[in-house]
Amino acid sequence: MAPPPDRPTAAGGFPIAAGALLGTVAGLFAGQPSIGFLAGLAVGVAIAIAIWLRDR
C-alpha cells in the first residue's frame, strides 16, 4: 500500500464537464451544438491535462 501524498492533488474533472457544457451552449447559439460540445470537450481535456502536468 502506498503512503498518502504529502499534499492534495488537483482534480481535472471540472474543466472537462464545464467545457462540455459551455461548448454545447455556445454551439446552440451558433446552430451547431454537437460541434460546440466536441470543441468544449477538447478544451476541457486540454485544461485537465495541463492541470495534471503541473501537479505531477
Side-chain angles (χ1 to χ4, degrees), residues 1-2 4 6 10-12 17 21 23 30 32-33 37-39 41 44 51-53:
M1 186 167 185
D6 294 335
L21 289 173
Q32 295 291 331
F37 171 77
L38 293 174
L41 188 65
I51 290 172
W52 175 69
L53 287 173

PDB file of all heavy atoms in Angstrom, residues 1-2 4 6 10-12 17 21 23 30 32-33 37-39 41 44 51-53:
ATOM      1  N   MET A   1       0.846  -1.176   0.000  1.00  0.00           N
ATOM      2  CA  MET A   1       0.000   0.000   0.000  1.00  0.00           C
ATOM      3  C   MET A   1       0.889   1.237   0.000  1.00  0.00           C
ATOM      4  O   MET A   1       1.831   1.344   0.776  1.00  0.00           O
ATOM      5  CB  MET A   1      -0.904  -0.041   1.215  1.00  0.00           C
ATOM      6  CG  MET A   1      -1.911   1.024   1.255  1.00  0.00           C
ATOM      7  SD  MET A   1      -3.110   0.602   2.530  1.00  0.00           S
ATOM      8  CE  MET A   1      -4.235   1.889   2.267  1.00  0.00           C
ATOM      9  N   ALA A   2       0.580   2.172  -0.851  1.00  0.00           N
ATOM     10  CA  ALA A   2       1.383   3.386  -0.980  1.00  0.00           C
ATOM     11  C   ALA A   2       1.041   4.359   0.148  1.00  0.00           C
ATOM     12  O   ALA A   2      -0.107   4.447   0.587  1.00  0.00           O
ATOM     13  CB  ALA A   2       1.124   4.040  -2.321  1.00  0.00           C
ATOM     14  N   PRO A   4       0.169   7.962   1.864  1.00  0.00           N
ATOM     15  CA  PRO A   4      -0.632   9.079   1.338  1.00  0.00           C
ATOM     16  C   PRO A   4       0.284  10.195   0.826  1.00  0.00           C
ATOM     17  O   PRO A   4       1.390  10.381   1.328  1.00  0.00           O
ATOM     18  CB  PRO A   4      -1.446   9.539   2.545  1.00  0.00           C
ATOM     19  CG  PRO A   4      -0.714   9.020   3.725  1.00  0.00           C
ATOM     20  CD  PRO A   4       0.012   7.786   3.289  1.00  0.00           C
ATOM     21  N   ASP A   6       1.940  13.872   0.175  1.00  0.00           N
ATOM     22  CA  ASP A   6       2.228  14.950   1.112  1.00  0.00           C
ATOM     23  C   ASP A   6       1.250  16.101   0.974  1.00  0.00           C
ATOM     24  O   ASP A   6       0.952  16.800   1.927  1.00  0.00           O
ATOM     25  CB  ASP A   6       3.648  15.472   0.901  1.00  0.00           C
ATOM     26  CG  ASP A   6       4.697  14.422   1.249  1.00  0.00           C
ATOM     27  OD1 ASP A   6       4.379  13.532   2.061  1.00  0.00           O
ATOM     28  OD2 ASP A   6       5.805  14.495   0.715  1.00  0.00           O
ATOM     29  N   ALA A  10      -4.604  18.066  -7.442  1.00  0.00           N
ATOM     30  CA  ALA A  10      -5.646  18.850  -8.092  1.00  0.00           C
ATOM     31  C   ALA A  10      -6.511  17.937  -8.952  1.00  0.00           C
ATOM     32  O   ALA A  10      -6.035  16.969  -9.526  1.00  0.00           O
ATOM     33  CB  ALA A  10      -5.020  19.942  -8.940  1.00  0.00           C
ATOM     34  N   ALA A  11      -7.779  18.261  -9.026  1.00  0.00           N
ATOM     35  CA  ALA A  11      -8.707  17.472  -9.839  1.00  0.00           C
ATOM     36  C   ALA A  11      -8.915  18.155 -11.181  1.00  0.00           C
ATOM     37  O   ALA A  11      -8.995  19.377 -11.271  1.00  0.00           O
ATOM     38  CB  ALA A  11     -10.035  17.331  -9.111  1.00  0.00           C
ATOM     39  N   GLY A  12      -9.012  17.360 -12.231  1.00  0.00           N
ATOM     40  CA  GLY A  12      -9.190  17.917 -13.559  1.00  0.00           C
ATOM     41  C   GLY A  12     -10.536  17.600 -14.173  1.00  0.00           C
ATOM     42  O   GLY A  12     -10.768  17.897 -15.339  1.00  0.00           O
ATOM     43  N   ALA A  17     -16.058  18.760 -17.618  1.00  0.00           N
ATOM     44  CA  ALA A  17     -17.512  18.908 -17.573  1.00  0.00           C
ATOM     45  C   ALA A  17     -17.938  20.316 -17.958  1.00  0.00           C
ATOM     46  O   ALA A  17     -18.885  20.510 -18.731  1.00  0.00           O
ATOM     47  CB  ALA A  17     -18.022  18.569 -16.176  1.00  0.00           C
ATOM     48  N   LEU A  21     -20.254  21.499 -21.219  1.00  0.00           N
ATOM     49  CA  LEU A  21     -21.498  22.256 -21.066  1.00  0.00           C
ATOM     50  C   LEU A  21     -21.425  23.620 -21.753  1.00  0.00           C
ATOM     51  O   LEU A  21     -22.345  24.011 -22.475  1.00  0.00           O
ATOM     52  CB  LEU A  21     -21.819  22.440 -19.579  1.00  0.00           C
ATOM     53  CG  LEU A  21     -22.251  21.185 -18.842  1.00  0.00           C
ATOM     54  CD1 LEU A  21     -22.379  21.456 -17.350  1.00  0.00           C
ATOM     55  CD2 LEU A  21     -23.559  20.668 -19.396  1.00  0.00           C
ATOM     56  N   GLY A  23     -19.414  24.539 -24.138  1.00  0.00           N
ATOM     57  CA  GLY A  23     -19.313  24.338 -25.575  1.00  0.00           C
ATOM     58  C   GLY A  23     -20.660  24.043 -26.203  1.00  0.00           C
ATOM     59  O   GLY A  23     -20.964  24.517 -27.303  1.00  0.00           O
ATOM     60  N   ALA A  30     -24.663  29.130 -32.100  1.00  0.00           N
ATOM     61  CA  ALA A  30     -24.106  29.099 -33.446  1.00  0.00           C
ATOM     62  C   ALA A  30     -24.870  28.139 -34.355  1.00  0.00           C
ATOM     63  O   ALA A  30     -24.568  28.057 -35.544  1.00  0.00           O
ATOM     64  CB  ALA A  30     -22.635  28.698 -33.398  1.00  0.00           C
ATOM     65  N   GLN A  32     -24.842  24.840 -34.051  1.00  0.00           N
ATOM     66  CA  GLN A  32     -24.090  23.591 -34.163  1.00  0.00           C
ATOM     67  C   GLN A  32     -23.767  23.044 -32.765  1.00  0.00           C
ATOM     68  O   GLN A  32     -22.620  23.069 -32.330  1.00  0.00           O
ATOM     69  CB  GLN A  32     -22.782  23.822 -34.927  1.00  0.00           C
ATOM     70  CG  GLN A  32     -22.951  24.228 -36.355  1.00  0.00           C
ATOM     71  CD  GLN A  32     -23.504  23.100 -37.206  1.00  0.00           C
ATOM     72  OE1 GLN A  32     -23.291  21.923 -36.935  1.00  0.00           O
ATOM     73  NE2 GLN A  32     -24.256  23.476 -38.229  1.00  0.00           N
ATOM     74  N   PRO A  33     -24.762  22.542 -32.029  1.00  0.00           N
ATOM     75  CA  PRO A  33     -24.488  22.098 -30.655  1.00  0.00           C
ATOM     76  C   PRO A  33     -23.525  20.917 -30.573  1.00  0.00           C
ATOM     77  O   PRO A  33     -22.758  20.825 -29.618  1.00  0.00           O
ATOM     78  CB  PRO A  33     -25.861  21.736 -30.101  1.00  0.00           C
ATOM     79  CG  PRO A  33     -26.734  21.538 -31.289  1.00  0.00           C
ATOM     80  CD  PRO A  33     -26.174  22.394 -32.374  1.00  0.00           C
ATOM     81  N   PHE A  37     -20.149  21.011 -28.488  1.00  0.00           N
ATOM     82  CA  PHE A  37     -19.866  20.038 -27.429  1.00  0.00           C
ATOM     83  C   PHE A  37     -18.472  19.451 -27.594  1.00  0.00           C
ATOM     84  O   PHE A  37     -17.705  19.375 -26.641  1.00  0.00           O
ATOM     85  CB  PHE A  37     -20.925  18.926 -27.446  1.00  0.00           C
ATOM     86  CG  PHE A  37     -20.599  17.778 -26.545  1.00  0.00           C
ATOM     87  CD1 PHE A  37     -20.779  17.883 -25.177  1.00  0.00           C
ATOM     88  CD2 PHE A  37     -20.098  16.593 -27.056  1.00  0.00           C
ATOM     89  CE1 PHE A  37     -20.473  16.823 -24.335  1.00  0.00           C
ATOM     90  CE2 PHE A  37     -19.792  15.531 -26.228  1.00  0.00           C
ATOM     91  CZ  PHE A  37     -19.979  15.655 -24.862  1.00  0.00           C
ATOM     92  N   LEU A  38     -18.147  19.027 -28.818  1.00  0.00           N
ATOM     93  CA  LEU A  38     -16.842  18.414 -29.057  1.00  0.00           C
ATOM     94  C   LEU A  38     -15.705  19.409 -28.854  1.00  0.00           C
ATOM     95  O   LEU A  38     -14.657  19.059 -28.290  1.00  0.00           O
ATOM     96  CB  LEU A  38     -16.792  17.820 -30.461  1.00  0.00           C
ATOM     97  CG  LEU A  38     -17.717  16.618 -30.687  1.00  0.00           C
ATOM     98  CD1 LEU A  38     -17.688  16.205 -32.149  1.00  0.00           C
ATOM     99  CD2 LEU A  38     -17.338  15.472 -29.782  1.00  0.00           C
ATOM    100  N   ALA A  39     -15.900  20.640 -29.297  1.00  0.00           N
ATOM    101  CA  ALA A  39     -14.865  21.658 -29.102  1.00  0.00           C
ATOM    102  C   ALA A  39     -14.689  21.970 -27.615  1.00  0.00           C
ATOM    103  O   ALA A  39     -13.558  22.074 -27.125  1.00  0.00           O
ATOM    104  CB  ALA A  39     -15.228  22.923 -29.872  1.00  0.00           C
ATOM    105  N   LEU A  41     -15.399  20.000 -25.135  1.00  0.00           N
ATOM    106  CA  LEU A  41     -14.804  18.815 -24.525  1.00  0.00           C
ATOM    107  C   LEU A  41     -13.299  18.787 -24.768  1.00  0.00           C
ATOM    108  O   LEU A  41     -12.515  18.490 -23.855  1.00  0.00           O
ATOM    109  CB  LEU A  41     -15.467  17.562 -25.091  1.00  0.00           C
ATOM    110  CG  LEU A  41     -15.123  16.237 -24.437  1.00  0.00           C
ATOM    111  CD1 LEU A  41     -15.618  16.218 -23.000  1.00  0.00           C
ATOM    112  CD2 LEU A  41     -15.757  15.103 -25.220  1.00  0.00           C
ATOM    113  N   GLY A  44     -11.680  21.358 -22.534  1.00  0.00           N
ATOM    114  CA  GLY A  44     -11.694  20.879 -21.156  1.00  0.00           C
ATOM    115  C   GLY A  44     -10.654  19.802 -20.912  1.00  0.00           C
ATOM    116  O   GLY A  44      -9.969  19.806 -19.878  1.00  0.00           O
ATOM    117  N   ILE A  51      -3.460  20.736 -16.016  1.00  0.00           N
ATOM    118  CA  ILE A  51      -3.508  20.648 -14.553  1.00  0.00           C
ATOM    119  C   ILE A  51      -2.735  19.421 -14.086  1.00  0.00           C
ATOM    120  O   ILE A  51      -1.959  19.491 -13.117  1.00  0.00           O
ATOM    121  CB  ILE A  51      -4.969  20.599 -14.054  1.00  0.00           C
ATOM    122  CG1 ILE A  51      -5.643  21.949 -14.278  1.00  0.00           C
ATOM    123  CG2 ILE A  51      -5.043  20.197 -12.584  1.00  0.00           C
ATOM    124  CD1 ILE A  51      -7.126  21.937 -14.009  1.00  0.00           C
ATOM    125  N   TRP A  52      -2.932  18.297 -14.765  1.00  0.00           N
ATOM    126  CA  TRP A  52      -2.225  17.069 -14.390  1.00  0.00           C
ATOM    127  C   TRP A  52      -0.714  17.219 -14.541  1.00  0.00           C
ATOM    128  O   TRP A  52       0.044  16.804 -13.661  1.00  0.00           O
ATOM    129  CB  TRP A  52      -2.748  15.913 -15.247  1.00  0.00           C
ATOM    130  CG  TRP A  52      -2.018  14.641 -15.039  1.00  0.00           C
ATOM    131  CD1 TRP A  52      -2.032  13.844 -13.931  1.00  0.00           C
ATOM    132  CD2 TRP A  52      -1.128  14.018 -15.969  1.00  0.00           C
ATOM    133  NE1 TRP A  52      -1.219  12.766 -14.121  1.00  0.00           N
ATOM    134  CE2 TRP A  52      -0.650  12.836 -15.367  1.00  0.00           C
ATOM    135  CE3 TRP A  52      -0.709  14.337 -17.247  1.00  0.00           C
ATOM    136  CZ2 TRP A  52       0.239  11.996 -16.010  1.00  0.00           C
ATOM    137  CZ3 TRP A  52       0.163  13.487 -17.883  1.00  0.00           C
ATOM    138  CH2 TRP A  52       0.632  12.332 -17.265  1.00  0.00           C
ATOM    139  N   LEU A  53      -0.279  17.822 -15.647  1.00  0.00           N
ATOM    140  CA  LEU A  53       1.159  18.011 -15.848  1.00  0.00           C
ATOM    141  C   LEU A  53       1.767  18.947 -14.810  1.00  0.00           C
ATOM    142  O   LEU A  53       2.871  18.731 -14.321  1.00  0.00           O
ATOM    143  CB  LEU A  53       1.423  18.562 -17.254  1.00  0.00           C
ATOM    144  CG  LEU A  53       1.237  17.561 -18.395  1.00  0.00           C
ATOM    145  CD1 LEU A  53       1.350  18.271 -19.723  1.00  0.00           C
ATOM    146  CD2 LEU A  53       2.241  16.425 -18.285  1.00  0.00           C
TER     147      LEU A  53
END
